[in-house]
Amino acid sequence: MSRFATPYADVTFKLYFGQEETKDLLRDFLNTLLPAENQINDIILLNTERVSSLEGYKGVTFDVHCTNAKGEIFIVEMQRARQNHFI
């Protein structure tokens, strides 16, 4: 068993990145993944947890609304399960 918490788990991800106190950490992390023209200036964390209605699936959605330097707003969502219709 590992001694470290995985950021892939919902609880751990929210602990590391999903709090007002850790917004700067989340922004810096996401900016390392995004191209220069889409760098994030501001983040709004939404508490949009939903338990899945599908039997046997424990789904949670944690939306992160981001704003870039051009004022464009986009959503970042971490997906761990396969999504057939996710573009």
Side-chain angles (χ1 to χ4, degrees), residues 30-31 34-41 67-70 72 74:
L30 291 174
N31 280 338
L34 294 170
E37 63 272 9
N38 288 333
Q39 293 293 290
I40 297 169
N41 286 358
T67 307
N68 65 15
K70 297 180 230 172
E72 298 170 327
F74 55 96

Side-chain angles (χ1 to χ4, degrees), residues 20-44:
E20 287 295 318
E21 300 84 26
T22 60
K23 278 176 37 171
D24 291 339
L25 181 63
L26 176 59
R27 185 192 66 228
D28 293 344
F29 170 68
L30 291 174
N31 280 338
T32 63
L33 303 173
L34 294 170
E37 63 272 9
N38 288 333
Q39 293 293 290
I40 297 169
N41 286 358
D42 190 32
I43 290 178
I44 299 171

Side-chain angles (χ1 to χ4, degrees), residues 4-19 78:
F4 302 101
T6 177
Y8 297 123
D10 293 327
V11 173
T12 311
F13 185 84
K14 289 176 199 168
L15 180 64
Y16 290 159
F17 300 114
Q19 302 176 43
M78 184 174 77

Side-chain angles (χ1 to χ4, degrees), residues 44-59:
I44 299 171
L45 301 171
L46 299 177
N47 186 15
T48 57
E49 280 190 58
R50 293 183 202 106
V51 177
S52 177
S53 60
L54 301 175
E55 187 176 327
Y57 180 73
K58 185 183 104 179

